[in-house]
Amino acid sequence: MQNDKIISCLAYNGKVNIRCIRSTNMVEEARKLHDLSPTSTAALGRLLTITSLMGKEMKGEKGTITTQVKGSGLIGNMTAVADNNGNVKGYVSNPQLDLPLNPENGKLDVGNAVGKQGMIYIIKDIGLKEPYVGMTPIVSGEIAEDFTNYFAKSEQTPTVVALGVLVDKNGVRAAGGYLITLMPDATEEDIVKIEEALKKADSISKMLDDGRELVEIAEIVTGDQNLMYFEDDNIPQYICNCSKEKMERNLITIGKDEIKDIIEKDGKAELICHFCNKKYVFSEEDLRKLID
Ligand SMILES: [Zn+2]
């Protein structure tokens, strides 16, 4: 299977920015780690895909972005975190939720799984004192539309967002997405050309499943055959960087009395990482050290 990849391009002489991602492997990794149902694979997969793409844009050595979708649907909350290489991790409250296909379009019913009401949260931390926090209401629960609304309302940037995850009985067949951002000097003519191009284009997951390269996809969806594009050798991946030390810090934050309680009741503590489901066991001895 091809590696995952992110590319960044300029169309219409720099007046339009387009970023594309192939995220098939990272979404498949999430599916395996969390034993996700097809519906949850599509929902969390779309969120991981956009978060990786937005993470790659972050400034600063240690920039991270956290996205959360808190909708009214049965899937519960979803969280994804990416670094500025596009490496990503995430989890969902109800990983096994599976709904019938959406009767209107025959696709996995992410909108109803997420729910039509609720909020999305975007937290960007570039190492300043306070992270940037943006939030907007959920529009459809389909994730791409919800982020389109976020870019328009919260960042005042007109952006086309497309996200797709294609799942079959063997797992994730294709996943990816793109963001088309209009610069302030984009003309009405450029916009019309892009609209025409988007009308003709297949869905992102179909184009990836057909084996199209990201540059080709960028050309198709912008309608510009003379793109300038940038790519690096970086392979964005699903990576969890949890460790016993980090878990220790989490335990310390719950306080001495709570830890004493745990010792009395259970004699040990078992912590499971939300992002990768790795289990960390703290013995009574470990816990007593933490209290000291
Ligand atoms: Zn972990």
Side-chain angles (χ1 to χ4, degrees), residues 48-100:
L48 291 169
T49 300
I50 180 101
T51 307
S52 170
L53 207 45
M54 290 171 75
K56 183 82 178 172
E57 290 295 298
M58 296 282 292
K59 310 272 186 302
E61 282 277 296
K62 287 184 178 164
T64 60
I65 179 167
T66 302
T67 59
Q68 290 180 316
V69 176
K70 297 186 177 180
S72 53
L74 292 172
I75 208 166
N77 296 341
M78 294 195 292
T79 299
V81 180
D83 66 17
N84 57 2
N85 284 313
N87 293 320
V88 74
K89 58 184 178 178
Y91 61 89
V92 53
S93 312
N94 193 351
Q96 269 88 45
L97 176 75
D98 217 7
L99 296 183

Side-chain angles (χ1 to χ4, degrees), residues 248-262 287 290-291:
E248 243 175 46
R249 268 179 260 150
N250 290 343
L251 263 176
I252 289 168
T253 58
I254 68 170
K256 266 188 189 181
D257 292 343
E258 285 287 328
I259 298 178
K260 278 180 190 160
D261 261 12
I262 295 171
L287 294 172
L290 290 183
I291 294 175

Side-chain angles (χ1 to χ4, degrees), residues 9-19 158-162 178-183 185-202 217-225 227:
C9 323
L10 290 173
Y12 299 105
N13 297 314
K15 289 176 284 177
V16 175
N17 181 301
I18 166 155
R19 290 160 280 163
T159 305
V160 177
V161 184
Y178 57 83
L179 292 175
I180 304 175
T181 308
L182 301 175
M183 301 297 180
D185 57 349
T187 63
E188 198 55 43
E189 204 191 333
D190 301 330
I191 295 169
V192 170
K193 281 185 193 158
I194 292 170
E195 283 171 350
E196 290 297 317
L198 287 170
K199 258 184 236 163
K200 279 185 259 165
D202 283 324
I217 292 172
E219 286 175 354
I220 291 169
V221 298
T222 55
D224 183 353
Q225 308 297 313
L227 294 175

Side-chain angles (χ1 to χ4, degrees), residues 240 242 273 275-276:
C240 186
C242 63
C273 173
F275 293 102
C276 68

Side-chain angles (χ1 to χ4, degrees), residues 89 238-243 247 272-278 280:
K89 58 184 178 178
Y238 191 105
I239 294 177
C240 186
N241 51 359
C242 63
S243 63
M247 288 295 178
I272 293 169
C273 173
H274 288 310
F275 293 102
C276 68
N277 295 314
K278 194 170 169 192
Y280 293 89

